[in-house]
Amino acid sequence: MVLTLAVAFAVTPALSMLPAQAAEDPAKADSQGIDSALPGPLDRSGLDETGPAQDGAADEQVPQETPRVIVRFEDPATSEAQKEQIVAEAAQEADILPAEDQAPKGAAASAETEPQRVKQTADSADVLEFPEELEVQEQSDLIDQLEEDPRVAYAEPDRLARAAATNDPLYGSQFTLEDRSVPEAWSMATGRGVTIGVLDTGVIRHPDLDAKRVSGYDFVSPYPADFPVDGNGRDADPSDPGDNKSSRCQATWHGSHVAGIAAASTNNGIGIAGVARDASIQPVRVLGSCTYGYESDIADGIRYAAGQTIGGAVNRNPSDVINMSLALYGQCGRTMQSAIDYAVGSNVPVVVAAGNSADNANMYPPANCSNVIAVGAADENGQVASYSNTGPNVDVLAPGGHGTRYSIISTIDAGTTGPIRASYGYKNGTSMATPFVSGTVAMMLEANPDLTPAQIERTLKSTSTGPLGRLQVSPADAVRAVAPAKTATKPTPTGPFRDVPASNQFATEITWAKNQKYLNGWSDGTFRPTQNIDRNAMAAVAYRMAGSPAYTPPKVSPYKDVSPSSAFYKEITWARSQGLLTGWSDGTFRPLNDIDRNATAALLYRMSGSPAYTAPKTSSFKDVRPGSAFYKEIHWMSAQGITTGWNDGTFRPLDQTHRDAMAAFLYRFEN
């Protein structure tokens, strides 16, 4: 899936045909190399009259050609060789590869002709790559052949994506803040305690951003070798390296510009003010060379930001809201939709750009995906910006900038290839409108942490204003609508954790779990109640609840991904010996995988000794059918009063179990 940044960068058909230079003029983006220490308002006199980093032009048609295909196989135990063979057979049927009887005599299957597996996504789909990109018709034929194969659950192209009152001296240049009720919103909330995940090109070192960053991750694939730009593929460094590995493109610093709009440091005597002035920023790098990124990488980035462990990447501080200033052409892919659903199911709203093609947004993912808040751009008069996508898929408008005078200033670097000096620059686009909304959401979540993504979306729409009708986001009205009647007197934590106030619905249960030494917190005094609990931790909890019995673990591990020196090795192997937690058929335990509510019900049932129990013929939950996995265990859990499910009559068996919910389950289990 080819995503474009929701600024108007040109997109080319293939990575091998990237442009000699990006559409964005770096001289304009640098705003004359304004240094971060420069006081006073920014001088625009040297800027081109067409507008700096003009994102308002319509995007080129985003090509859908890609050498990759995402395939979800029905049997997770299918070998890599079998997977490659299944795709190769489909390619032969689609006339993409020569049939075996047409191949040169003595020719052997090789990386020169057949697809090669490059990675697996977080939801266990495989990404396979052909040596050359496939035309649109070839892609369509291949997908049709794959989905006719009973061994394949689904297939789709892995399309490329590309990027969409203070003492701060440049505050006067930020018409979007003063004119759009942001200072009024600050009297009620500033985003304190809320983390905004910025899925983009990464974030640079910058005095207006450094104090706001929490640890993130770089998910850019190392294929081809120069694609990551930083030279090392996926790693724990999500900083933006620019484009210093290639002369084909100029550095855009897009992710840093987006991050600054959302949450730049404020009242620090330099630069600009962020919408959510006290929120944190989690950089998740998903766009590499020339601001391209694969959809499969972006999907993994979404899941990581929402708290899912991806490979060895453990997110100890999940984002509370996700910002994606990205846009592409086509239908919403299943890989992307699944990742978005995971985030929203984890109570993390996903705010996305509508795109800059002056078109209907219903053909521009992720704006046309379900469960997102899609943001169009408004100009200085509150009208739809000339470049902004529109239509029923657009939920709200926010300032995106227009022309030279009313473009959006934010944090960038002065370098044209790699970083050299912190600076400020101007851009226009739905990319700039999106973090304005994400910052608003952060303030709403500070005012009312219990809001669901659906409630946030409804509130943004119901409180929006402007000449176009009820579309343009009003931060003050949105925060006011969700804030408790008395916002000035917030409850003070009385328990052992500073992030669990007395008003928390599970404060008693969390305190009890801490006192029982079943669930501990972190060294910073937090419990992180909405963070998912992983299989490592559940093994430890089960062991502690059993009284930490004497047990000698085996010298040779029964799991190939858990060594005898691993944390919780004793607890994991003990849980296995008791039949409480088992592994997978491939010999793994997957200790860092989050545990879902299905598995939680099974674990508690086994910890109770697997008592005799006859489940009702009619389900108590509308999303748990008789005969489904763990039907008996879930209803036993309900019968014991350990779970009540949700008010809408669902149990949500595939949702991840949060730490606060686990504390409640354990409390009810023993009391």
Side-chain angles (χ1 to χ4, degrees):
M1 183 175 266
V2 180
L3 284 174
T4 63
L5 289 172
V7 293
F9 298 118
V11 178
T12 56
L15 201 60
S16 61
M17 300 174 61
L18 294 175
Q21 133 177 358
E24 178 177 304
D25 184 342
K28 298 172 186 175
D30 182 40
S31 299
Q32 310 303 304
I34 299 297
D35 192 276
S36 62
L38 184 68
L42 188 62
D43 180 12
R44 297 174 179 261
S45 60
L47 297 176
D48 193 297
E49 288 303 314
T50 59
Q54 183 64 34
D55 303 329
D59 289 339
E60 294 184 9
Q61 181 69 35
V62 179
Q64 298 184 53
E65 292 86 353
T66 174
R68 294 184 179 186
V69 61
I70 301 172
V71 186
R72 177 77 178 266
F73 295 92
E74 290 284 3
D75 184 1
T78 305
S79 69
E80 290 186 23
Q82 288 175 312
K83 292 173 179 177
E84 292 171 8
Q85 183 60 32
I86 290 169
V87 178
E89 290 173 357
Q92 290 170 355
E93 291 293 329
D95 293 327
I96 298 170
L97 296 179
E100 292 183 4
D101 60 358
Q102 297 174 340
K105 189 174 181 180
S110 71
E112 296 180 357
T113 59
E114 295 197 350
Q116 305 293 313
R117 182 179 181 270
V118 296
K119 62 179 178 180
Q120 190 173 65
T121 66
D123 59 346
S124 301
D126 288 271
V127 179
L128 293 101
E129 185 172 77
F130 288 81
E132 297 181 356
E133 69 174 7
L134 305 175
E135 300 292 335
V136 173
Q137 188 58 54
E138 291 178 323
Q139 290 178 357
S140 178
D141 293 344
L142 174 61
I143 298 304
D144 288 345
Q145 290 294 331
L146 284 168
E147 295 199 327
E148 288 180 4
D149 194 317
R151 297 169 293 181
V152 173
Y154 71 80
E156 61 187 9
D158 189 13
R159 297 175 290 185
L160 273 170
R162 202 180 184 201
T166 74
N167 64 7
D168 304 275
L170 300 180
Y171 177 79
S173 302
Q174 294 181 262
F175 79 93
T176 56
L177 300 189
E178 191 66 50
D179 296 350
R180 299 303 192 277
S181 78
V182 174
E184 183 182 354
W186 289 342
S187 67
M188 296 174 281
T190 57
R192 186 175 300 278
V194 179
T195 298
I196 302 171
V198 178
L199 274 65
D200 216 292
T201 62
V203 175
I204 57 170
R205 305 295 299 179
H206 196 291
D208 249 348
L209 300 175
D210 291 346
K212 315 304 293 295
R213 293 166 53 128
V214 300
S215 60
Y217 210 82
D218 177 2
F219 282 96
V220 178
S221 288
Y223 310 102
D226 63 344
F227 189 64
V229 182
D230 57 4
N232 52 10
R234 293 186 169 189
D235 58 38
D237 180 9
S239 59
D240 189 343
D243 258 294
N244 57 359
K245 295 290 182 170
S246 171
S247 61
R248 298 170 299 190
C249 304
Q250 301 279 7
T252 66
W253 316 115
H254 187 271
S256 302
H257 198 274
V258 167
I261 294 169
S265 294
T266 303
N267 270 333
N268 60 344
I270 58 172
I272 62 169
V275 173
R277 51 190 280 177
D278 291 326
S280 298
I281 298 163
Q282 180 165 73
V284 181
R285 188 170 182 251
V286 296
L287 304 174
S289 180
C290 298
T291 65
Y292 281 86
Y294 278 105
E295 183 179 8
S296 55
D297 291 340
I298 295 168
D300 281 355
I302 294 170
R303 290 174 174 272
Y304 169 85
Q308 184 173 350
T309 296
I310 308 297
V314 181
N315 191 350
R316 299 296 185 189
N317 186 30
S319 300
D320 300 295
V321 54
I322 290 172
N323 186 100
M324 289 201 294
S325 292
L326 309 163
L328 59 89
Y329 186 83
Q331 299 296 325
C332 181
R334 282 170 284 192
T335 300
M336 177 73 75
Q337 186 64 67
S338 176
I340 290 169
D341 290 346
Y342 176 86
V344 173
S346 301
N347 214 37
V348 181
V350 180
V351 186
V352 305
N356 302 321
S357 298
D359 199 357
N360 194 313
N362 66 0
M363 287 301 294
Y364 293 83
N368 64 0
C369 297
S370 301
N371 300 323
V372 300
I373 301 170
V375 183
D379 63 17
E380 69 278 12
N381 297 314
Q383 303 288 340
V384 176
S386 59
Y387 53 82
S388 179
N389 286 347
T390 56
N393 287 91
V394 178
D395 296 302
V396 292
L397 299 176
H402 183 262
T404 302
R405 184 178 180 185
Y406 294 105
S407 54
I408 307 298
I409 188 172
S410 189
T411 44
I412 62 167
D413 194 274
T416 59
T417 54
I420 60 171
R421 181 181 79 253
S423 185
Y424 298 89
Y426 291 88
K427 299 180 189 289
N428 300 326
T430 55
S431 279
M432 289 62 253
T434 305
F436 185 95
V437 176
S438 295
T440 300
V441 171
M443 292 190 288
M444 295 169 67
L445 286 170
E446 182 199 353
N448 188 342
D450 296 326
L451 291 172
T452 67
Q455 290 171 327
I456 289 169
E457 181 180 342
R458 287 196 299 269
T459 302
L460 288 171
K461 290 179 178 179
S462 67
T463 59
S464 57
T465 59
L468 294 172
R470 307 191 68 78
L471 272 179
Q472 191 171 192
V473 164
S474 171
D477 290 338
V479 174
R480 187 179 297 107
V482 301
K486 296 181 179 180
T487 58
T489 55
K490 295 184 177 181
T492 303
T494 57
F497 304 108
R498 61 184 179 88
D499 59 345
V500 183
S503 62
N504 187 294
Q505 63 175 324
F506 298 124
T508 298
E509 293 89 340
I510 291 170
T511 300
W512 172 88
K514 169 67 165 64
N515 293 338
Q516 297 294 118
K517 299 182 179 180
Y518 294 160
L519 288 171
N520 299 316
W522 275 260
S523 58
D524 63 358
T526 62
F527 181 76
R528 306 178 190 178
T530 60
Q531 183 168 305
N532 299 338
I533 192 164
D534 60 29
R535 290 169 54 81
N536 249 337
M538 280 313 306
V541 167
Y543 180 75
R544 296 164 188 167
M545 293 184 71
S548 301
Y551 172 74
T552 302
K555 293 182 179 180
V556 178
S557 176
Y559 303 111
K560 59 186 181 183
D561 59 345
V562 182
S563 71
S565 60
S566 300
F568 306 114
Y569 177 70
K570 178 179 181 178
E571 292 87 343
I572 290 170
T573 53
W574 173 86
R576 182 178 186 270
S577 72
Q578 301 299 305
L580 300 178
L581 288 170
T582 57
W584 274 259
S585 58
D586 63 357
T588 61
F589 180 75
R590 307 180 190 179
L592 298 180
N593 280 16
D594 297 327
I595 194 165
D596 60 29
R597 289 168 59 83
N598 250 337
T600 301
L603 174 64
L604 293 174
Y605 178 76
R606 295 165 189 168
M607 288 173 61
S608 189
S610 302
Y613 173 74
T614 302
K617 294 182 179 180
T618 302
S619 179
S620 304
F621 305 104
K622 59 186 181 183
D623 58 345
V624 182
R625 297 178 180 178
S628 60
F630 308 114
Y631 180 80
K632 176 180 178 178
E633 291 86 344
I634 290 169
H635 282 82
W636 169 86
M637 193 177 171
S638 175
Q640 299 300 309
I642 298 172
T643 184
T644 58
W646 269 261
N647 293 332
D648 62 359
T650 62
F651 178 75
R652 306 180 191 179
L654 298 180
D655 280 10
Q656 308 304 308
T657 302
H658 292 173
R659 287 171 52 82
D660 57 359
M662 183 57 70
F665 292 157
L666 299 180
Y667 178 83
R668 298 164 190 167
F669 180 84
E670 287 203 352
N671 294 279

